[in-house]
Structures are given as structure tokens and as C-alpha cells.
Amino acid sequence: MARPSERLRTLFGTRHGLALLGRTYAVQFGVLAGTAQLVLAFWPDLALVRWPAFLGIAALAFAAAIVLARPRDRVSRDFTHPDFTVTVEVGDLFDRTCHLVVGFTDTFDTDTADEALVARRSVQGQFLHRVHSGDVALLDALLEDALAQVSPVGRETRETKRIGKLVRYPVGTVAVLKDSQRSYFCAAYGRLNNDLATSCSTEQLWSGLAQLWETIRLHGYRDEVAMPITGSDLARINNMDHASLLKMILLSFVAHARARGVCRSLTVVVHPRDYYRIDMLELGVFLRSL
């Protein structure tokens, strides 16, 4: 859940927040002022001190406006023809019980031992520890089976890549891991360079998203899917912030869902620490514009 201070920052520090606050305040002040006039019409002798009453109404209306206009932790829109739902929600991706998308690099490295390859706090690191109990060998075996039919595009040597896996797969490759309850769509959204820094261009991400939606369409059984803001945080998409990446994901999904259908519901989960990076009010406007 987002902290109250972060919600107030969005409300008072953004154009959409101030506009919404102003509209809500006008409505609340009108309702309260109208109520006061109605009371005076029935009880004209009621001893009301005019200015203190006016200031009290203004203060109460402002407080009500803050409560009613404050940004929520969740925005959603239902689409028709075909029917599907898109939601952006603050929370923990791994608390979801639906199919999950997990970002990987083109080498599908998994080891978080010294965090040189994979950061433990990243979605990929949490996938290893929270879903596979930190068993690197098990996750590597599952990925190897899922990638058996995918042709590698290159192989590094131990001299060029000092640790980790050496085989490279095409950026955009999606390895589907399944258990008895759901599927995990492990999407290679970027390249792990030999200096162990991840890089991903806007074009690669856009193309990779298209491959991800097609894989979900084929293997997701039209069920609900949840994903993080792929390409944010530890990836190096330097020309796009969290909000822009999120909008790209939503735009790409809606376009593909309308064209061929993908799944009945997509939820993009924003980590609470990243709430301040996303203007949920603006995001609601963006969703309604799609």
C-alpha cells in the first residue's frame, strides 16, 4: 500500500491532482453551502455567525475534497469487443495467484549468490527465492527444458563473460514454466552485457512485448495475468521512466488484445516503493483514452 505522504504528493504536486482537487472542492463546497442555505430557509432565526460559518464550511469542504480526491492504489478499465480488463495496482506481484510474467535477460541467468548477475530484490531474484525456494539448479533445469526448442543466437566464452551462463537467446524469447496451478512467462526483455549490466532499447522492449502477448495468447488459456513494469529498475532503458514504460506496456497490450485477444485480464503490479514514480490520476486518464 502507498503511504499517505505519497498520495498527498501526487494530489498536490501534479497537474491532474490539483485539477481533480479543485473540482471536488467546488462540488463539496456547493453541497455544504446549499445545505446551510436550506437550514436557514426553514429556521431563519437560527443564530449563525455568518463569517465563522462560511469559514467552517470552506474548511470542511476542503477536508472532504482531500479525502475524496486522493489517489487510489488501483485504477482499472473494462474494455469491450472483445471483453477484457486492464488494471494497474500497487502491491506485491507474488501475492497474486494468477499467471505471472517475470523478466529475464537473454542469457536467462538466475544466480543471486553475490548479486552480480541477479539482484535478490529484483522480480527475477524474488522468483528464484519465493517460488523455487532459492534452488538455482531446479530453476535452471526448468528453464533449460522450456528453451529446448529455441535456437541460441550466440555463445560467450569464460574469457568474455566471467560468471554466469554463456548461451544467448534472442531478446524477446519467452520461456513458459508451468506448475499445477499457473504458468510463469519468463520473458527475455534485454541483453546481459559482458560487463554484467543489462541493456534494452525501446525497440527491443516493444518487439518483446508483442512476443510476450502472443505467447500468453497461446499458453495462458485466456486466464488472468499479472506482471511488473518490465524494463524498469535494474534494466538500462535510459530514455524512459517508470510512467512511460507502464504506458508502453498498456498501449501494446490493448492493441494486441483488440486485434487477436490475449487474456481476459491483465494486471500490472507497481511495487509500493515505486508509487511516487507513477501519477495514478494521470494513469487513469490515460487508460480511459485507450
Side-chain angles (χ1 to χ4, degrees):
M1 300 291 287
R3 294 192 296 269
S5 60
E6 293 171 337
R7 297 191 188 195
L8 291 176
R9 182 189 306 174
T10 300
L11 185 61
F12 287 98
T14 65
R15 178 171 57 86
H16 288 92
L18 290 173
L20 179 60
L21 180 62
R23 291 194 302 269
T24 308
Y25 172 74
V27 171
Q28 296 305 308
F29 182 81
V31 170
L32 291 173
T35 302
Q37 289 179 348
L38 187 62
V39 169
L40 289 175
F42 282 98
W43 294 280
D45 297 329
L46 188 63
L48 284 177
V49 181
R50 299 288 178 169
W51 279 108
F54 175 82
L55 294 176
I57 289 173
L60 185 58
F62 188 67
I66 292 176
V67 172
L68 295 173
R70 73 187 190 283
R72 304 299 193 262
D73 289 332
R74 184 178 187 273
V75 294
S76 185
R77 181 186 169 187
D78 295 324
F79 292 81
T80 56
H81 310 299
D83 295 334
F84 61 93
T85 300
V86 177
T87 302
V88 179
E89 187 171 85
V90 178
D92 187 334
L93 178 70
F94 292 98
D95 284 342
R96 313 286 304 191
T97 57
C98 58
H99 302 317
L100 298 183
V101 175
V102 181
F104 277 78
T105 60
D106 63 332
T107 56
F108 286 89
D109 274 295
T110 57
D111 196 353
T112 64
D114 58 2
E115 297 196 282
L117 288 166
V118 180
R120 186 170 181 133
R121 70 178 177 86
S122 68
V123 172
Q124 186 180 344
Q126 292 181 66
F127 180 56
L128 169 65
H129 290 280
R130 296 177 63 177
V131 177
H132 296 92
S133 302
D135 191 334
V136 176
L138 171 61
L139 180 53
D140 283 344
L142 293 173
L143 287 170
E144 184 177 351
D145 288 343
L147 294 168
Q149 304 303 315
V150 181
S151 299
V153 293
R155 178 182 290 271
E156 299 293 338
T157 65
R158 190 51 69 202
E159 288 72 28
T160 57
K161 187 171 183 280
R162 59 185 177 84
I163 58 174
K165 299 179 183 179
L166 302 177
V167 176
R168 294 191 180 277
Y169 294 90
V171 173
T173 297
V174 182
V176 184
L177 309 187
K178 299 183 177 182
D179 61 22
S180 59
Q181 297 179 331
R182 58 181 172 178
S183 296
Y184 301 95
F185 297 95
C186 303
Y189 63 87
R191 173 186 170 88
L192 182 64
N193 299 320
N194 289 337
D195 61 0
L196 306 183
T198 304
S199 63
C200 177
S201 68
T202 304
E203 293 77 14
Q204 285 176 319
L205 180 58
W206 183 260
S207 176
L209 286 171
Q211 295 181 61
L212 173 63
W213 309 139
E214 180 62 15
T215 304
I216 291 174
R217 186 183 72 83
L218 294 174
H219 299 280
Y221 309 107
R222 301 299 174 94
D223 291 333
E224 180 183 357
V225 176
M227 67 180 295
I229 304 179
T230 305
S232 64
D233 199 14
L234 302 178
R236 304 301 194 269
I237 307 181
N238 295 323
N239 61 336
M240 299 185 74
D241 58 15
H242 278 64
S244 298
L245 288 168
L246 178 52
K247 289 177 182 178
M248 175 184 281
I249 292 170
L250 298 176
L251 181 61
S252 175
F253 175 78
V254 170
H256 284 80
R258 281 175 166 163
R260 301 192 63 185
V262 178
C263 58
R264 62 180 175 85
S265 176
L266 174 71
T267 300
V268 182
V269 181
V270 179
H271 194 280
R273 69 169 177 264
D274 294 324
Y275 181 85
Y276 76 96
R277 301 174 186 266
I278 306 296
D279 183 345
M280 296 293 278
L281 298 173
E282 180 188 13
L283 190 61
V285 174
F286 178 77
L287 263 181
R288 291 192 294 273
S289 72
L290 295 178

